[in-house]
Amino acid sequence: MRWRRTITAAVSVLALGALTACGASEGSTGKAAVPGPVSAADLAKVTLKVGDQKGGVQALLTAANLLGDVPYKIEWSTFTSGPPLLEAASAGAIDLGRVGNTPPIFAAAAKAKIAVVSVATSNVEREALLVPPDSPVKDVASLRGRTIGVAKGSSAHGQILNTLRKAGLSTKDVQLSFLQPSEAYAAFTQHRIDAWAIWDPYTAQAQLDAGGRAIADGRGSSNGLSFQAASTAALGDAGKNAAIKDYLIRVVKAQKWADTHRAEWAKAWAQGTGLRLDVAQKSVDAGRDLPTPLDDTVVKSEQQLADAFGEDRTLPGKVDFASFVDRRYGLELEAVRSNG
């Protein structure tokens, strides 16, 4: 696969109006102080540093035509998976980015300086455990003693943990080979690993190009959540706080657009990232991210996943996921999600 590492900027001089007022919404945890409003002139001076992943938000916003009037600059950086993205956010190298359900848990265990600020759900059937087409492995239980490729701390790591538990196994009964997706794809096609825990669009690529066969998916083992997570430094900065709010509203609008324009989104995604159209279309047709409230149900589900990692002794101690949740944008995002 050919992927471009993108660092681009989108600039506009549109006055903000309501978006310059960034007071705390009900439920804000106060992990980072909520700054006061900023003027349109000050917002125009802001550069929002956004972390992205393969087939990510930049392509989505572009396809939905939601980058043309951005009243601040955006600098994009592409990461291989969620864990290094959140490391960059915690270090202040980026301001926010989209990750799956597991990276924030590992970041919380490491006391990272981040908070999740919005959430979406996706089709858990596309979080797959794949084996090569000629593999003798027929089910998860047959993986005992075998090697599974997975990106450490990624959503696939959480999925494989719960998938193994459902089959009466633990991570101690298999050999986890911690590989980033591009490395894992090569290992998978060369039969250097017996199975691969992965998400779309890699799932679609492996199925279409390498004949990958799914022996399990995320049903019953994944909550299908993905998060926008921001650095606490950015959340405490007045200009970036305002930019993040505007950016998240655009993401919600784009997610809703993509769900009703799947053919257009698949074509734009393929063109913008180098995906083959059939791979992009397969991923899109299965259902991509849809916005959902960052409520207590989400926090409880993530806490259960964190506790499962703790019981597996993958994490050094207990994680209080709620302490890494900031709901300051909740009311505005819910209004967009509900009303368009």
Side-chain angles (χ1 to χ4, degrees), residues 5-6 11 15 18 57 59 76 84 86 91 129 135 141 180 234 247 295 311-312 315 331:
R5 177 173 293 273
T6 58
V11 186
V57 181
W76 300 93
L86 290 187
L129 180 58
S135 172
Q180 290 299 315
Y247 174 84
D295 57 18
E311 292 168 8
D312 191 62
L315 297 178
L331 293 180

Side-chain angles (χ1 to χ4, degrees), residues 60-300:
L60 175 62
L61 289 170
T62 300
N65 196 29
L66 287 167
L67 287 179
D69 63 346
V70 176
Y72 44 88
K73 297 178 182 178
I74 300 180
E75 181 180 286
W76 300 93
S77 299
T78 303
F79 293 81
T80 56
S81 63
L85 187 155
L86 290 187
E87 288 178 10
S90 181
I94 61 172
D95 299 315
L96 82 161
R98 177 199 175 279
V99 297
N101 62 358
T102 303
I105 291 172
F106 276 71
K111 309 300 182 186
K113 298 176 182 179
I114 60 101
V116 297
V117 291
S118 72
V119 62
T121 58
S122 61
N123 183 355
V124 296
E125 292 183 43
R126 302 306 298 163
E127 298 180 42
L129 180 58
L130 303 175
V131 296
D134 57 351
S135 172
V137 174
K138 302 300 181 184
D139 54 29
V140 177
S142 302
L143 287 172
R144 185 185 294 272
R146 296 180 182 268
T147 302
I148 303 172
V150 64
K152 185 175 183 178
S154 68
S155 59
H157 196 174
Q159 188 255 19
I160 194 60
L161 172 68
N162 285 326
T163 296
L164 291 171
R165 293 178 68 173
K166 284 174 59 182
L169 303 177
S170 76
T171 55
K172 310 304 184 291
D173 296 312
V174 299
Q175 178 66 47
L176 294 184
S177 179
F178 293 125
L179 300 169
Q180 290 299 315
S182 60
E183 301 169 319
Y185 182 78
F188 181 79
T189 56
Q190 295 167 17
H191 290 70
R192 289 188 281 111
I193 54 177
D194 298 299
W196 184 19
I198 193 57
W199 58 88
D200 258 340
Y202 299 101
T203 301
Q205 180 200 7
Q207 290 176 323
L208 291 173
D209 292 354
R213 174 166 50 87
I215 60 171
D217 57 39
R219 287 175 291 185
S221 59
S222 173
N223 57 22
L225 299 176
S226 63
F227 296 95
Q228 289 284 344
S231 75
T232 53
L235 291 172
D237 178 270
K240 292 196 173 184
N241 179 60
I244 290 171
K245 178 180 177 181
D246 174 81
Y247 174 84
L248 294 177
I249 288 172
R250 291 171 190 269
V251 171
V252 169
K253 289 180 177 179
Q255 289 168 339
K256 295 181 65 176
W257 172 88
D259 190 48
T260 56
H261 297 78
R262 294 190 177 189
E264 295 172 56
W265 167 220
K267 183 178 180 180
W269 192 11
Q271 291 176 342
T273 63
L275 278 172
R276 283 207 329 267
L277 181 58
D278 59 338
V279 173
Q281 193 67 61
K282 185 176 180 66
S283 298
V284 169
D285 286 345
R288 301 295 295 167
D289 288 355
L290 285 174
T292 194
L294 183 55
D295 57 18
D296 291 344
T297 300
V298 167
V299 175
K300 181 179 179 181

